[in-house]
Structures are given as C-alpha cells and as structure tokens.
Amino acid sequence: MTNKNRVTFGSKLGVVFATVGSAVGLGNIWRFPYMVGENGGAAFLLVYIACILALGLPVMLTEFFIGRNTQRNAAGAFKSLAPNSTWSIIGYNGVLAAFLILGFYAVVSGWTLEYIIQAVTGSLSGKSTTEFADDFANFSSDIYRPIFWTIAFIALTHFIIVSGVKKGIERASKIMMPMLFLILVILCIRSVMLPNAGKGLIFLFKPDFSKISSSVILSAMGQAFFSLSIGMGCLITYSSYFSKTTNLQRTAVEVTILDTLVALLAGIMIFPAVFSFNIEPTEGARLVFITLPNVFGQMFLGEIWSSIFFLLLAVAALTSTISLHEVATAYLLEEHKMSRKKAATLVSVGALILGVISSLSIGVWKEHTILGLTFFDFLDYITAKIMLPFGGMLICIFIGRRIDKKILKAELTNQGTITFSLFNIYAFFMKYIAPVGIGLIFLHELGIINWLKSIF
Ligand code: PFF
C-alpha cells in the first residue's frame, strides 16, 4: 500500500540521523549509567548487550518493516496489516507509552536546561562533591524551577512538531549529533585520567556473574527497548516516512551500533568519575547530574565544556522528545482526522499535566506513591519495564503469525534489489527467540516461574 502524499525524509543521511536522534538521548546518557550503577555494573552491561542483539535489533527491523510497508502511524499500521482485528492494540499500547514517557522524560530534559544556565553563569564551578549533590537535591525537589523548565521543554518540542516533520526533525539532528559524540569522547578521556579511574572501569567491564538476577535481566531488557526507542511504534512512525529505497537492514544495524556506542561512552565518562569522587554508583536518577559537574571542575575551561555539554545533551533530549511527541501526534492526526496543530496541542497539554505531576512527585509530593513508587518512577517503570517489552513481544507474535514471510522479505530487501542473507535467522529470532525470551523474563519477574517450581 503506498500513499503518495505523505512526507518523506529529505536525504539518506536525514533518515539515519533522525532515527539516531530518536534513539540517542537521555536514555543513553542519563538512564543507562544509573541503571548500570543500580544493577551491579558489568553484569548488567553484558545482559544489556545480549538483549540489544537478540531482542532489540530484530524488533527494530520489524518496526521498520511495519512502518514503511503501511506508511501509517503506530495504530493505523496494524489496522492496515490486519483489518478488523484486535492487533491494533499494539499500536494503542505504543501511543499511550509514548505519551507517558514524554511525561517524565520532559522533566529530566528540563533539568538539562537548568544545568546549561548554571554552567554558563559559573554556578557549576568550585564546589565540593557534597555541595553538588545538595544543589541538585534542592533544585529537583523545588516546586517552581523544574516545572518552569519542563514547560519550556515541552513548548520547544511543540514548536518543532507543528512546524512539520521534515524540516524540524532533520535540521535539528543533523548538526548536533556528531558534536555530541565528539564531546563525549573528550569527556571519556578526561574521566579515565582521574585518580582511581581504574576502579570505575573494572566496575563497568569486569562482570560479577553472581549479580545477575531476574530483576537485573528485566531492567536490562527494559533499558534496551527504551534506549533503542522500540516496542512502542516510534520507529514504526518514523519508518513510515522512509523512502522506498532506504536500506532498512543497514539503517537498523547503524542505529543500533551508534546507540550502543553512545551508551558505552556515557558509561566510560561516568564510572571512573563516580569512583574517583567517592560517589555511590547506586545514586539512581541523580547520578549523572551529581557526577559530571565534578569532572568539569577538573577540566581546563570547565565552564565552557560544561555549557557545551549540557547544551548538546538538551538537543539529544529534544530529538527524542520530538519522536515521542510525533508518535502521539501522528496517531491523532491520521486516525482522528485532526489538524497537525490541534493534535500537537492536545499531546502537549497532556504531557504538560503529566510533567508537572512527575516533577512535583520528586519533591513536595514524594509521599504520594503508586505501588511504592513516586509518580515519576512509576511512569518510568510501567513504560520501560512493562509496556515497551510487552509491545515488542506482541510485535514479534504478530509478525510470526499474521505476516506472510514473502511480503516480509520483499520489504526488507527492497523488492529483491538488496540481499538479506541472514533472513532465516532473523525470522527464527522473531518468531521464537524474542517472544519466548521476553515472555519468560516477564513470568520470572512476576514470580510465576518460582511459583510453578514450588508446585511441581
Ligand atoms: N530512546 C530515547 C533515549 O534513549 O533517550 C528515549 C525514547 C525515545 C524512548 C523515543 C522511546 C521512544 F519512542
């Protein structure tokens, strides 16, 4: 099915950059290090990489197939492929997940704006490790400042979304991504030269296998889905704008490699510094924000480096919030026949409400919890650890059961014009390994496997 009036990405490079722009973001630089820190270091990294290869890459390629083949949004795509069935639930799960992620992601994105201002005004220099930690605690639990930045970030995203798919997204991601990569490399070099840096590298790269537990595996799987922007139709939506000549296989491999590389660089940048400055790796969501200012403090012209870094981090976050926003906007626009402006406004207002509640839940509303989690942590938990892997599992089952292998192969080889020598392996992973693997991890985490064992 083709739709001639649809916007497509401008250039080959634009496709990869926009998709990398969605994948690379706070998930790599903020969430990945804190997950590694909370889940025992190298053991987590190992499971994470296994999840990327066995689950992430095949699911990403499949999302590309669904998006480009149908040229529709996350929910509409399933309506095209399986009319009058309940499979479109996968799309709705994705649209909802995108919206919920936006609700806490925008808050952390807002923090990056605060840190740009602090870096530029010199407030990030000349302090002790404890002072940096206290400053962050005071700021993030404040009522007004984080909300102000959250609103500013959503407004920025909104502006880019209403200005159109092609111009907005492409322009933003093409210039800043390579710059971010470069500055990460520089920060890694600085970090590994700090005293005691070796301990951080051992923590990150020398696995202690006794640390692997079902919750570590669930966290690694969730992080893989979150970081690659998969399981929720984001890449279905993006690939619906790809041209018919885009090489889907190569794009999937490139995006996966770049995304994993950025996460690894973030780990190499953070952990040597964590050990050097005696910070606990288990600090959680604030880990990056209290570690990095210490590294900048040790650098020549630290204010300048920190200003550039937080600016680029904000841009990386922006290219991800754009993609999250676009999932929900494209759905409303195409399925509910709204104008782009109206659809985007609805999404932005909704995200704003979630964002304000998430931000307050770190400070004054800390005591109000859902299943023992603050609202912010709850949104993070149900999206990354439940909705995205669940969506991924359903996508695999859907493809295995509903889609003719010939159609799948034709799309992934651009109608036979490029080869796909690993097609059978890919199809096997999609049909069996990925859905069974994800299912088992869920069952284990929910305690069902142990319960069965105790019965038999
Ligand atoms: N992958 C993004 C990151 O790592 O920051 C976050 C994200 C964007 C998740 C888009 C999901 C998504 F659809």
Side-chain angles (χ1 to χ4, degrees), residues 171-191:
R171 215 183 292 155
S173 41
K174 254 189 203 170
I175 323 159
M176 308 294 230
M177 282 290 144
M179 281 171 72
L180 178 68
F181 202 78
L182 196 73
I183 198 164
L184 277 175
V185 173
I186 295 170
L187 286 171
C188 285
I189 296 173
R190 184 64 194 93
S191 195

Side-chain angles (χ1 to χ4, degrees), residues 22-28 98 101 105 225-230 232 234 259 320 323-324 327 388:
S22 166
V24 174
L26 297 171
N28 308 61
I101 293 176
Y105 201 93
F225 276 79
F226 188 87
S227 190
L228 293 176
S229 304
I230 55 174
M232 46 160 292
C234 180
D259 187 72
S320 299
S323 71
L324 287 162
V327 173
L388 303 190

Side-chain angles (χ1 to χ4, degrees), residues 48-101:
Y48 174 74
I49 290 180
C51 288
I52 291 279
L53 293 175
L55 312 176
L57 194 53
V59 173
M60 181 183 288
L61 194 54
T62 308
E63 287 203 20
F64 283 172
F65 157 77
I66 298 173
R68 195 180 62 178
N69 188 264
T70 60
Q71 303 200 356
R72 289 182 69 176
N73 63 82
F78 291 95
K79 291 189 193 158
S80 279
L81 290 172
N84 303 322
S85 72
T86 45
W87 286 109
S88 41
I89 196 170
I90 306 177
Y92 297 125
N93 172 66
V95 172
L96 183 64
F99 180 64
L100 297 179
I101 293 176

